[in-house]
Amino acid sequence: KAGAYAWIAQNLVLVMSVAIRDYYYIAKHGLAYKRMGVLFFLLMVLIGLLTVFIKIAYKRTNYYLLRMNAWAGIVVLVLATTIHWDELIAGYNLKRRNEIRLDVPFLLSLSDKTIPLLDQNIELLKDWEATWQHRRLSFLNSRQEFSWLSWNYSDAYTEQYLRARENDSKPKTR
């Protein structure tokens, strides 16, 4: 038992070490998919270490270990689907634009859900104006080809936002 507990403690130290390095990397370079993936991996490792500790301390079966880790994985993955990751990434990186170097091509590669957020920070995309205008027009043109079967809230919101911005930028005539 003592050896198993020492192994769990050693792995906790490793988890903390990786978490700290990932934190500093995010603080210096901003959020990205794989940096967040590391955090999810570390969460699953922590859950696994906890279940191994419970298995050893309370003399549980291997089936218990498999069942609890599987349920934990399912719960983490289901909860992860409730977050708009692209908007979170773009928002985080844009808020910290004075602390990190913005990776504009990466921001422009994020999903269409980020278009309104990026458009509100258009001054940061001045070197990428042609690419940005092409992306906006491409999104609006692609929406013309869809039927109501393709409707979803985030695309509808983005389209409404862009149409309103288009109307605001047109000259007013009487």
Side-chain angles (χ1 to χ4, degrees), residues 12-172:
L12 287 173
V13 170
L14 289 173
V15 166
M16 295 308 297
S17 170
V18 172
I20 290 169
R21 279 183 276 149
D22 197 41
Y23 167 78
Y24 283 125
Y25 203 82
I26 290 169
K28 183 169 175 63
H29 299 287
L31 271 181
Y33 296 121
K34 290 181 182 176
R35 293 174 201 145
M36 289 187 318
V38 168
L39 296 176
F40 276 103
F41 173 76
L42 292 177
L43 175 63
M44 290 303 301
V45 168
L46 285 174
I47 293 169
L49 290 172
L50 176 65
T51 57
V52 167
F53 175 82
I54 292 170
K55 179 190 182 310
I56 295 167
Y58 299 103
K59 297 181 179 150
R60 303 290 177 140
T61 65
N62 286 336
Y63 175 71
Y64 165 84
L65 194 63
L66 180 65
R67 184 172 44 94
M68 294 307 291
N69 287 334
W71 275 111
I74 290 169
V75 168
V76 167
L77 291 175
V78 168
L79 290 176
T81 65
T82 63
I83 298 172
H84 295 271
W85 294 109
D86 287 353
E87 289 176 310
L88 180 80
I89 290 169
Y92 179 91
N93 290 347
L94 289 169
K95 284 180 187 170
R96 285 153 186 80
R97 64 181 171 260
N98 296 329
E99 302 162 19
I100 62 172
R101 191 183 127 271
L102 277 182
D103 186 358
V104 177
F106 172 69
L107 290 175
L108 290 174
S109 74
L110 297 174
S111 73
D112 292 333
K113 289 187 274 189
T114 61
I115 289 176
L117 183 59
L118 293 174
D119 195 61
Q120 293 165 6
N121 293 280
I122 194 72
E123 71 278 358
L124 302 173
L125 307 175
K126 61 183 172 254
D127 295 338
W128 299 85
E129 186 70 29
T131 305
W132 175 246
Q133 293 304 329
H134 179 265
R135 176 154 184 220
R136 289 176 60 175
L137 290 173
S138 176
F139 173 78
L140 289 172
N141 290 337
S142 71
R143 297 293 300 154
Q144 302 297 324
E145 300 170 9
F146 294 137
S147 71
W148 66 273
L149 297 171
S150 300
W151 188 91
N152 65 71
Y153 178 76
S154 65
D155 285 349
Y157 174 79
T158 301
E159 181 179 16
Q160 179 184 7
Y161 174 86
L162 290 176
R163 300 264 185 234
R165 295 278 295 179
E166 251 180 16
N167 293 336
D168 290 346
S169 65
K170 289 181 182 175
K172 308 280 191 261

